[in-house]
Each structure stands twice: as structure tokens, then as C-alpha cells.
Amino acid sequence: MAFIEAAGLTKTYTPKGASPVHALDGLDLEVPQSTVTALLGPNGAGKTTTVKVLTTLTQPTAGSARIDGIDVLAHPERIRPIIGVSGQYAAVDENLTGFENLDMVGRLYHLGAAQSRVRAQELITLFDLEEAKNRPVKGFSGGMRRRIDLAGALVTRPKVLFLDEPTTGLDPRSRLGMWDIITGLVSQGTTVLLTTQYLEEADQLADSISVIDDGRVIAEGTSDELKASIGGQRVEITLVDPGDSATTVEVLRRFGNSEPTTAAEGRELTVNASDAPAALQGILAELGSRSIRLFDAGMRRPTLDDVFLRLTGHSATAETSDAVPTKKMKRAAKKEKSRS
Amino acid sequence: MTTTNTGSGSALSHWFSDGWITTRRNLIKIKRVPDILVFTTLQPIMFVLLFTYVYAGVINIPGSSYKEFIMAGIFAQTIVFGSTYSGSAMAQDLKDGIIDRFRTLPMSPSAVLIGRTNGDLFINALSLVVMMVTGFIVGWRIRSSLLEALGAIALLLLFAYAFSWVMAFIGMSVRSPEVINNVSFLILFPLTFISNAFVPSNTLPTPLRVFAEFNPVSALVSAVRNLFGNTPPNSPIADNWAQQNPEITVLIGIVLLLVVFVPLAIRKFASVSSR
């Protein structure tokens, strides 16, 4: 039996004067014990809502959820002692020092005064927070706040850790630091559910990935399985002369394993390849022998956008289809119309 | 790794401990954010000086001095405004995601609110002390027994405490700290000025007088004025039960506010979440 089990989670909001919005639309999820599962999806896909339901913050409209066999909806008070949550916004008290923040959380978990202080100090050392130990959090960077927030989620050594977009908004160096910390936790056997917008992050940290869109899981699997499903890496060719487009498409079709796509009036061509370096070598040799001049050539790893395009037919960064059109969006659409 | 420890002890001792931990959080905030302390001490001093020196010359209270008359009004006004911290602080905590963090902890659902309203109580007690000392310096005197004076102080603080729960509930409903501040000014200025806090209500034009006589702040001011012995002799008493028995009226008001808004606020807390 999976450690976290969610079935048919549905959450419907009805904004005033608008049609209902399905933040979750029958989401199913299983997270085995001592594994890391990533919920991968764009903004508004339902990642945060899923975490809120599982961490007792929000009641779903329908569906069920269990953690360690305990019904989350019926017994939130039995769930709270066994979970740790670190949210998208570092939920630390700016006016308290790093130590006071951690000590407060420990006391609210009912660790007792002495044990709370010992644990706070352990976490300060473990997360390299010495600098923020005795100074109010107010003066510190986003990366430091996230580390304190994450440390707060680990005060009781929870059985399950929920990380909602743990690196969104962090600079690359802080992101790498956060990945190290999470990898360390996982090696100790903590069950983790993390949400992210970045395939690379899910790739680095997760054993298994659930891709979600419009409140539903649309694909599941390991990072390799997902990448394989969209045909491994990409080879991209940019031509000097768009007149060479038809010939190049033929070459790409021969070396790639998908139908080549074209953009920019036939100048930019892309194809999937399971062994991209070999494909790129072959393509370049072939194009060279035909004296086709290139502006650019290279390969890249699939992005979340590629996964999404393949799975849903729409881009991950675009607004999801059933989002309520805002005044601003309507105005922008009008403008667009009048321009054309 | 050791096993998860969620502590021992009874629910009641957890409730006390949780309330104390969150109260301590708010007290540390008062210590660390100087504007709160400056505002809660300087503003009352300013009000006492402004009203006693600017208006004392032009407003005559038959049989008493305006200084004596006005102090109960300043106490009540300052303390009612002091309770609005709970509104903006709850809205801010909600916005910052701190409420989300608290709600995922195995703590008592009333603890955050208890800590918050206790913080207001502390601030209000502090500004009351400052106002009383300033009042003494400019010539205000308590003309009643110690017990009655303590009763006045207790009524002021209890009323403000009950009002903090109202504001905490509003803060979680409105969710924007800025809006809360504007809304409380819009509501509290009329509530405190259209009352008997600064002028005897019988001097007001009829519609305002009627409002003033049924205004809960008026009952509070009358009660405090009576208990400090500052009610001018032979002053006309309004023709309604609330103004004739202001102490009991205020007590009933406090109980009503608490009975309605403590459960409402706790229920609201158990369902709110950021965004």
C-alpha cells in the first residue's frame, strides 16, 4: 500500500459572476514509502491545491486522501503530527530570529522546552544557518528564509515531507544548495512529495514524476520514462536559406525518431532523437555534403514545455484553458483583435 | 533517526502552552518593531496633551473641568484603536503564509488567535499606563475608590480585548492588511467621535445624539467616567437604560462580543489559507 494515497480529488471554486473553476478535477496520486514523487505542472495546474488538501489546509469538494493509512479529511489532527510542510512562500516570522522561529515550531509540535531548543540548534548546524541564528529573519535573503522554513518543516523528523515549489524564485546557487539538502533528506528515507514547474528539478530529485494539468494527472513515470515518451533529446537546426527547408526535413526524418517540426518560415527545424549526439553528427555530415549553409545547430534536453506540448497539445507556460478570463486578458484580446 | 515525538501532556496543558508560545511571538514583535512601541506610547501622550490644552479652554463642562471629563474619552478611543492591530496582523500573517504553517502544526486551533489578542491586550495595558501618567501630570485626578478605579481599568481592557477578536475575525475575512487599516479608521472614527467621549452627548444635534446614546463606546466612556469619579455633578442622564446603567451595559457588551466572535474567529481560522 502506498504511503500517500489520493483518489478522485476534486476542488471546485465558484467565483462571483463566473463559471466554476476546477482547481482539481479527479486527481489520483500514489506515493510509495521512502520515495520522492514530484508533481510537475505549470502555474494553475493544481499542484498547490493538491498539497493543501494533503496537508489539511483545504477540504476538497470530492475525493479521498490517506497518509500512512490515516484518513486526511476525517482525522486532520492525526495527520498534522506526522507531516512537515514547506510552502511556496517562506512562512517564517520576520521579526523572530532563525533560532526563535525553529524553537517556536518545536514548542508548537509539543516537543517540550528543552528538546525544542536542542532540535533548533541541531537544525541551525545542519542547514548552515549560524548567521541567522540570533538575528531577526527580516534582514536575510530569500534563500536563507527558505532554508529556515524547510528546517521548520523538519523539526519533528516527519514521516512525510511536502515541498511546494521549494526553489521557485531562488537564484541558481541557492537552488543547487536546496537540491543538496533535499537529496540528503531523501537518503535518510523520508517520504517526499514535491511540486515543481521545472522538469530538471523533478529529474534531479524525484524517483517518480506525476505530470499534472487542469487538475488531473496526465502522465506518470520515472524521469527516463517521461523523456522517452517524448522521444529523448532534441536536435535543432537553423538554416541560412529557407529554400533548403524541404531537403533538411528529409535528412532530419532519416536521423531522428519523430516527424520534424519547422518554425520561422522553414528556417528553424527540430526533430527528436534517442541518441542525439549521433543524430547530430550524422545530420551535420549529410547537410555538409549537400553544401547546405547553417546559421546554428545543436541539441537540447526536453523541457517541461516539450512534455506538455506532447501530452496536452498546449504549451506549459500559456494560460490553462479553463482559467477564468480576467478583465486584463479580455482587454488584451480586444486589442489584439483591433490590431489585426 | 529517533521516532517522531509529539510530546506528552494533557490537551489543557497543550492549550496553555500553545497560547503562551504564540503570545510570546507577538511580544517579541513589539520589542523588535519600534514603530509599534512608539505609536502606542507617543500617540496617547499626544492625544492627552492635544485635548486637554487645545480644547480645555473653549469647552466648558458645568461643575467640572474639561480635563477631567475628557480623559475617559481618550482612554476609550485609544484602546479601541489599539485592538485594530489584531485585524491587520491576522491579515498580514495570512498573506505571508504563516497561518498556513501554523495550521499544519498539531496545535490548538485557537492558539494563534489567543496569542494575537493577548498581544493587543499587552499593548493596550501599556498605552493605558502611559495615558494615566500623562493625565496625572496635566491635572487629571481619580476621584473614586481604588476598587472603582481598578474596575474602570478592567472594563477598558476587557472591552478592547473583546474588540480584538472582532478585528481578528474581520482581518481574516478581508485578508488585506491595507484595507483593514482603512476600514477600521472609517468605522472607528465615527464610532469614537459620535459619542460622549469628547463632548457631552446632550450637546449634539438630535440624530447624532440618538446615535451617541446607543453607541457602545458611549456606554464604555460613561462607565469609565463614573468609575474614575469624573462624571460632572448634575449632568443630564440620557433617557435610556444603557446610559443609566453603563457599567452593566458594557459588561453585557463584552460578553456578547466574546460569545459571538470567539467561536466565529476560531472557525474562520480553521478554514482560511493563503491565496
Side-chain angles (χ1 to χ4, degrees):
Chain A
M1 193 180 72
F3 202 67
I4 303 176
E5 287 178 308
L9 287 185
T10 304
K11 178 76 183 177
T12 310
Y13 299 96
T14 312
K16 274 187 201 124
S19 50
V21 177
H22 304 286
L24 293 178
D25 192 10
L27 182 132
D28 300 315
L29 186 69
E30 287 199 356
V31 179
Q33 192 157 16
S34 302
T35 65
V36 183
T37 295
L39 284 183
L40 179 68
N43 275 332
K47 302 188 298 290
T48 298
T49 311
T50 306
V51 170
K52 280 190 174 179
V53 168
L54 293 174
T55 57
T56 77
L57 288 175
T58 298
Q59 286 275 337
T61 316
S64 66
R66 301 178 89 81
I67 296 177
D68 199 8
I70 304 165
D71 188 331
V72 178
L73 311 178
H75 301 289
E77 76 291 343
R78 287 172 58 198
I79 294 295
R80 289 177 190 136
I82 63 166
I83 62 171
V85 191
S86 181
Q88 199 166 343
Y89 306 99
V92 289
D93 189 324
E94 297 208 313
N95 299 304
L96 301 188
T97 65
F99 186 86
E100 285 165 348
N101 264 295
L102 297 178
D103 182 43
M104 175 176 74
V105 173
R107 294 295 301 272
L108 293 173
Y109 271 114
H110 307 128
L111 286 186
Q115 213 191 324
S116 272
R117 278 195 294 272
V118 170
R119 183 64 182 150
Q121 183 53 54
E122 272 174 25
L123 289 164
I124 296 265
T125 313
L126 192 67
F127 285 78
D128 191 20
L129 300 169
E130 215 49 64
E131 199 189 339
K133 181 182 169 184
N134 293 317
R135 286 163 60 190
V137 176
K138 197 176 278 180
F140 289 96
S141 67
M144 178 71 92
R145 288 173 190 221
R146 288 289 178 93
R147 293 217 300 278
I148 298 171
D149 187 55
L150 180 55
L154 294 166
V155 163
T156 51
R157 298 176 175 91
K159 290 183 180 176
V160 198
L161 182 61
F162 292 91
L163 301 172
D164 190 16
E165 303 205 12
T167 67
T168 298
L170 291 188
D171 61 65
R173 210 176 62 119
S174 308
R175 171 169 298 166
L176 288 178
M178 193 59 93
W179 284 2
D180 278 347
I181 291 172
I182 296 167
T183 314
L185 291 173
V186 174
S187 66
Q188 292 169 30
T190 310
T191 306
V192 180
L193 181 68
L194 80 93
T195 75
T196 181
Q197 302 183 41
Y198 312 111
L199 181 62
E200 194 194 355
E201 184 159 291
D203 195 0
Q204 286 280 331
L205 302 173
D207 301 306
S208 124
I209 300 172
S210 292
V211 182
I212 74 172
D213 187 40
D214 288 347
R216 274 186 307 269
V217 173
I218 54 171
E220 278 175 306
T222 64
S223 171
D224 286 340
E225 285 165 359
L226 278 179
K227 275 188 224 161
S229 81
I230 60 160
Q233 286 182 295
R234 301 286 213 246
V235 174
E236 287 181 334
I237 302 289
T238 309
L239 301 171
V240 172
D241 180 3
D244 295 328
S245 191
T247 323
T248 313
V249 165
E250 262 173 55
V251 175
L252 293 190
R253 194 176 288 140
R254 188 139 40 92
F255 287 94
N257 61 3
S258 73
E259 183 58 27
T261 57
T262 59
E265 286 148 9
R267 282 189 62 214
E268 290 174 17
L269 300 98
T270 310
V271 73
N272 296 341
S274 43
D275 184 358
L280 182 62
Q281 272 177 332
I283 290 166
L284 288 179
E286 185 70 34
L287 294 179
S289 73
R290 297 184 190 203
S291 308
I292 289 174
R293 292 198 299 144
L294 301 182
F295 187 77
D296 193 14
M299 47 185 200
R300 65 175 172 84
R301 301 166 65 76
T303 62
L304 175 57
D305 252 349
D306 297 324
V307 177
F308 262 81
L309 213 54
R310 171 67 182 246
L311 292 170
T312 67
H314 70 82
S315 160
T317 41
E319 291 290 334
T320 48
S321 54
D322 67 353
V324 199
T326 62
K327 268 187 188 164
K328 209 173 162 187
M329 280 164 66
K330 280 182 192 158
R331 231 180 290 136
K334 233 181 192 173
K335 233 179 184 174
E336 198 86 344
K337 230 180 183 176
S338 64
R339 204 180 290 148
S340 59
Chain B
M1 256 177 117
T2 61
T3 51
T4 306
N5 185 342
T6 50
S8 52
S10 68
L12 190 67
S13 76
H14 281 169
W15 183 76
F16 269 110
S17 152
D18 293 349
W20 160 240
I21 300 297
T22 51
T23 302
R24 194 175 62 173
R25 165 183 179 238
N26 289 299
L27 295 184
I28 292 174
K29 182 178 176 183
I30 296 170
K31 194 173 79 180
R32 299 258 165 84
V33 186
D35 4 338
I36 300 179
L37 210 54
V38 169
F39 191 74
T40 47
T41 52
L42 286 189
Q43 196 230 24
I45 295 177
M46 186 188 77
F47 265 112
V48 171
L49 296 180
L50 277 178
F51 276 102
T52 51
Y53 286 106
V54 178
Y55 295 111
V58 285
I59 301 176
N60 271 316
I61 303 295
S64 175
S65 83
Y66 187 62
K67 275 178 192 170
E68 302 243 326
F69 176 86
I70 190 70
M71 283 307 290
I74 296 174
F75 291 151
Q77 191 204 26
T78 307
I79 252 160
V80 168
F81 271 91
S83 338
T84 60
Y85 277 119
S86 279
S88 51
M90 290 308 290
Q92 187 68 47
D93 279 355
L94 196 55
K95 195 175 157 189
D96 291 345
I98 295 178
I99 300 288
D100 282 6
R101 158 53 53 86
F102 282 136
R103 283 197 49 224
T104 61
L105 299 178
M107 63 192 281
S108 150
S110 59
V112 172
L113 290 157
I114 288 171
R116 186 53 257 166
T117 48
N118 280 348
D120 276 6
L121 187 63
F122 178 83
I123 289 177
N124 273 325
L126 193 72
S127 41
L128 190 55
V129 169
V130 171
M131 283 188 288
M132 290 177 74
V133 170
T134 317
F136 269 112
I137 295 170
V138 300
W140 167 71
R141 292 292 176 269
I142 296 172
R143 303 195 186 276
S144 59
S145 67
L146 178 67
L147 207 65
E148 283 169 306
L150 288 176
I153 292 170
L155 276 189
L156 279 166
L157 293 179
L158 275 174
F159 185 85
Y161 182 75
F163 207 70
S164 290
W165 281 89
V166 180
M167 291 309 298
F169 174 72
I170 295 175
M172 288 185 287
S173 309
V174 175
R175 308 171 73 106
S176 156
E178 297 80 14
V179 172
I180 280 290
N181 281 332
N182 295 337
V183 167
S184 33
F185 271 63
L186 275 177
I187 295 173
L188 295 185
F189 266 111
L191 208 58
T192 50
F193 275 89
I194 310 172
S195 74
N196 60 0
F198 304 106
V199 289
S201 53
N202 61 324
T203 63
L204 295 169
T206 309
L208 295 184
R209 182 175 57 80
V210 173
F211 180 85
E213 281 168 1
F214 287 95
N215 181 346
V217 175
S218 294
L220 176 67
V221 172
S222 292
V224 170
R225 203 169 269 153
N226 284 348
L227 288 168
F228 278 136
N230 297 139
T231 307
N234 311 320
S235 62
I237 291 173
D239 190 21
N240 72 58
W241 188 86
Q243 277 300 313
Q244 286 155 5
N245 305 277
E247 294 88 349
I248 299 168
T249 306
V250 172
L251 274 176
I252 293 172
I254 290 167
V255 171
L256 275 180
L257 285 180
L258 289 173
V259 164
V260 173
F261 282 94
V262 170
L264 267 183
I266 293 174
R267 256 184 56 190
K268 186 81 193 166
F269 180 84
S271 69
V272 287
S273 174
S274 62
R275 292 185 310 151

